[in-house]
Amino acid sequence: MNPISINQIIETIKENNPDADLDLITLAYEYANRAHHGQKRLSGEPYIQHSLHTAIKLAQMKLDIPTIVAGILHDVPEDTDRTIDDVEKEFGKEIAKLVSGITKLGHIKYRGLERYAENLRKMFVAMAEDIRVIFIKFADRIHNLQTLDSLPPVKQQRIARETLQIYASIANRLGMWKLRGELEDLAFPYVYPEEYDWVKNLVSEQFDKNAKYLEKIKNEIQENLKDANVKTIQIIGRTKHLFSLYKKLLRKDRDIEKVYDLLAIRIIVSDIKNCYHVLGLLHSKWRPMPGRVKDYISQPKPNGYQSLHTTVFTGKNRIVEFQIRTMEMHEKAEFGVAAHWQYKEGNDTAHKFKIPETQMKWIQELLDIEKDTKDTQSYLNTIKIDIFHDRIFVFTPKGDVIDLPEDATPIDFAYHIHTELGNHCGGAKVNEKMMALSTKLKSGDMVEIIEDKNRRGPSEDWLKFVQTNAAKQKIKTFLKQSRADRMLNIFSRR
Ligand code: MN
């Protein structure tokens, strides 16, 4: 890894935030440098390089100063003789809290499955307290992955696997796609070395074949947009992240010809009106592929992602995907929740930053799962479905969007809306057709629950196919209650 200097961090911060308090950054650097003096990483680099690499990542994510300072200091209490109290005396409560959040995440007692569960729980607790702790942990993990070669193989495996299982999943759920892609691509060669080589070669073949063509299309559309007087901020040819491509290939019989978004051009424009304008221009120039036009601007994905997507036939057997969005949508897509902590003119105090309510809701749900789950295995199963499954969004007849895990059924939908609706669910219409209650819903489905007032309660069979923790718990609670009532009846009859 190239060594970096504190000046590079300062320059990066200045680009995004010209009024930042840079003295604090310098102070943190001097403090950490003294504290880690003489220490080396297994890679042979001076330890402070790890602190700086962590911090520059946070600066590139345009995060606030306390987060970057805590990034510089994050290993001080753990690995030097300075304590967290020392850090607090020097840098104040907010920064000390962030640093101690990181230190707490590092202490994992258990092994195996227990370790996995403990790790997750700690991440969720940290997120609920101050989500910036997770951003620092991600940046720390990126540099650890970049220097993974110098660790013994057993540790390489543990860290790389944990990255795919825990870190990437959480980054995904937080909408931090860029970071998720980086984490996955760094861990990929360690966890699946042969598969990694296969995908890498496949991509470089495709790239050699297509790079020139993509450039040509890019220039062509650039000219068209100029003629139509559409101001673009950026037009970029995008290549897919390797690990996400790998996962897609597994779903497409390992056939790269079936992956339509391998080549994509991203067009960033000034406002929403122009997004649709560009889409119209593309479609009048090239024939769109049916079923591939997606309007995530009027219907954002559950995690808030917004963009227009279309795949067009650009010539003989050639297809290119286009993604059209505003700068604001682009930043949100790249940084996800972290975008809410980014410096924007006029709100440079950390207290004005707030996590969006929908995100807070699922973090709170994670913590609640912890409370009422006894054994590790069932805890993990619950987490896996409620949190780490991909999400779908479906509509109520009124057009409200409901966010559910993949494979959710009308019963999950009913319980999500109201416990009573779940308990009295008599049937379901999906896209205006009567369907079985066990039907797996798909994104975009319109779901209507037919209420049956005479129905006494849920059927035990429903437990076989419901997906969400909420539905499961509510069905179980009802069944337990009615069993207790029956017992009471038997006794009172005597
Ligand atoms: Mn570290």
Side-chain angles (χ1 to χ4, degrees):
M1 282 246 82
N2 287 336
I4 57 165
S5 68
I6 187 66
N7 284 331
Q8 277 169 271
I9 296 177
I10 288 176
E11 285 311 310
T12 309
I13 297 171
K14 273 207 240 163
E15 272 170 37
N16 311 314
N17 180 355
D19 328 311
D21 179 5
L22 299 168
D23 290 346
L24 199 61
I25 298 283
T26 313
L27 205 68
Y29 167 65
E30 285 163 2
Y31 189 88
N33 199 23
R34 255 179 280 128
H36 288 298
H37 182 76
Q39 292 177 348
K40 283 214 157 83
R41 299 268 291 174
L42 280 179
S43 60
E45 297 172 295
Y47 201 96
I48 191 73
Q49 278 300 319
H50 171 63
S51 322
L52 293 177
H53 272 104
T54 304
I56 201 161
K57 189 86 212 158
L58 297 164
Q60 286 160 350
M61 290 163 74
K62 307 182 190 178
L63 290 165
D64 63 332
I65 297 294
T67 310
I68 301 170
V69 168
I72 299 175
L73 299 170
H74 80 273
D75 277 329
V76 164
E78 181 69 27
D79 294 326
T80 77
D81 51 15
R82 314 290 203 283
T83 64
I84 196 73
D85 290 336
D86 296 335
V87 171
E88 186 176 332
K89 255 178 242 149
E90 204 74 28
F91 296 97
K93 259 212 169 72
E94 184 184 3
I95 287 165
K97 258 192 90 181
L98 289 169
V99 174
S100 89
I102 298 289
T103 311
K104 275 189 228 151
L105 281 179
H107 294 157
I108 305 284
K109 276 184 292 193
Y110 298 105
R111 306 186 72 90
L113 206 59
E114 288 286 336
R115 180 190 169 90
Y116 179 42
E118 189 192 3
N119 226 321
L120 279 172
R121 280 198 190 103
K122 286 198 158 171
M123 296 281 277
F124 301 152
V125 172
M127 272 196 275
E129 273 175 15
D130 191 332
I131 200 151
R132 293 176 297 175
V133 171
I134 298 302
F135 304 156
I136 302 168
K137 193 67 194 167
F138 284 153
D140 168 63
R141 178 53 59 107
I142 294 263
H143 185 247
N144 285 339
L145 288 164
Q146 284 165 335
T147 53
L148 207 55
D149 263 343
S150 44
L151 295 192
V154 176
K155 274 200 163 176
Q156 288 176 356
Q157 283 302 310
R158 178 174 66 65
I159 291 172
R161 278 170 198 278
E162 196 177 78
T163 301
L164 293 185
Q165 288 168 344
I166 298 178
Y167 288 70
S169 306
I170 291 178
N172 181 45
R173 197 66 173 83
L174 291 172
M176 301 169 75
W177 288 8
K178 192 177 168 166
L179 201 92
R180 169 199 156 190
E182 289 173 54
L183 287 164
E184 285 181 339
D185 283 2
L186 286 165
F188 188 14
Y190 291 94
V191 181
Y192 307 105
E194 279 150 27
E195 303 285 85
Y196 173 78
D197 286 339
W198 170 61
V199 178
K200 219 183 127 184
N201 289 332
L202 210 56
V203 166
S204 74
E205 258 170 50
Q206 288 287 328
F207 189 80
D208 292 344
K209 228 168 51 189
N210 293 309
K212 263 206 193 117
Y213 184 71
L214 204 61
E215 193 59 31
K216 188 186 133 225
I217 294 287
K218 216 180 94 178
N219 292 335
E220 222 175 283
I221 195 70
Q222 192 133 33
E223 282 300 308
N224 291 154
L225 292 174
K226 223 164 96 190
D227 293 344
N229 252 328
V230 180
K231 255 221 190 118
T232 52
I233 299 171
Q234 247 179 345
I235 301 186
I236 10 176
R238 184 219 56 162
T239 36
K240 226 170 152 53
H241 277 289
L242 288 185
F243 192 68
S244 82
L245 173 61
Y246 170 60
K247 283 190 292 187
K248 194 156 210 174
L249 282 164
L250 293 184
R251 294 197 301 270
K252 306 274 179 189
D253 314 313
R254 294 184 172 255
D255 181 0
I256 192 121
E257 302 292 327
K258 290 184 189 159
V259 177
Y260 298 135
D261 61 349
L262 184 68
L263 295 179
I265 293 178
R266 195 171 279 156
I267 302 177
I268 299 170
V269 293
S270 56
D271 54 29
I272 291 179
K273 213 180 106 207
N274 271 320
C275 292
Y276 290 102
H277 190 175
V278 172
L279 185 73
L281 279 173
L282 291 175
H283 286 176
S284 62
K285 185 175 170 65
W286 292 303
R287 194 162 58 83
M289 188 186 269
R292 298 276 310 173
V293 187
K294 285 170 195 153
D295 182 353
Y296 297 120
I297 291 180
S298 62
Q299 292 299 345
K301 286 194 182 183
N303 62 11
Y305 176 80
Q306 286 190 298
S307 200
L308 299 175
H309 289 192
T310 184
T311 307
V312 295
F313 297 97
T314 52
K316 264 191 268 152
N317 292 324
R318 295 281 198 170
I319 43 174
V320 177
E321 179 177 285
F322 283 90
Q323 302 175 347
I324 311 153
R325 53 178 81 151
T326 65
M327 197 59 186
E328 200 189 335
M329 292 172 193
H330 181 59
E331 296 249 296
K332 249 174 73 188
E334 300 267 289
F335 299 110
V337 165
H340 296 273
W341 271 264
Q342 290 177 343
Y343 170 81
K344 306 228 164 47
E345 234 165 305
N347 68 348
D348 196 26
T349 48
H351 311 283
K352 288 192 189 155
F353 298 103
K354 244 186 92 197
I355 185 162
E357 216 169 288
T358 46
Q359 294 283 357
M360 204 59 227
K361 193 175 161 228
W362 73 264
I363 293 170
Q364 195 51 53
E365 278 170 16
L366 293 169
L367 290 171
D368 293 344
I369 293 169
E370 178 185 12
K371 267 180 239 145
D372 49 52
T373 310
K374 285 116 224 138
D375 66 291
T376 308
Q377 189 59 60
S378 63
Y379 171 73
L380 290 177
N381 289 344
T382 308
I383 297 275
K384 264 196 192 132
I385 292 170
D386 263 21
I387 313 306
F388 292 150
H389 249 242
D390 281 335
R391 310 293 286 187
I392 57 166
F393 52 93
V394 296
F395 299 100
T396 68
K398 281 187 195 152
D400 292 331
V401 181
I402 305 290
D403 161 18
L404 292 167
E406 210 170 33
D407 292 344
T409 65
I411 298 288
D412 292 292
F413 175 89
Y415 277 107
H416 185 95
I417 290 182
H418 200 280
T419 308
E420 283 308 304
L421 188 61
N423 287 343
H424 297 107
C425 179
K429 280 186 182 173
V430 179
N431 304 324
E432 304 190 323
K433 260 177 65 189
M434 284 304 289
M435 297 294 267
L437 291 174
S438 58
T439 304
K440 288 180 173 160
L441 299 173
K442 290 186 300 298
S443 262
D445 282 347
M446 202 257 278
V447 187
E448 186 183 351
I449 299 299
I450 315 292
E451 230 181 325
D452 177 0
K453 290 280 180 207
N454 297 322
R455 186 177 185 101
R456 249 183 284 145
S459 147
E460 192 154 7
D461 283 346
W462 293 356
L463 288 171
K464 290 181 193 144
F465 53 75
V466 292
Q467 292 291 321
T468 53
N469 186 45
K472 230 172 262 173
Q473 291 305 327
K474 285 170 183 171
I475 296 170
K476 280 187 189 157
T477 307
F478 186 96
L479 293 174
K480 224 190 262 169
Q481 188 57 44
S482 62
R483 228 170 273 137
D485 290 348
R486 273 203 305 276
M487 290 297 269
L488 219 61
N489 279 336
I490 294 168
F491 286 123
S492 56
R493 245 184 273 148
R494 277 184 183 173

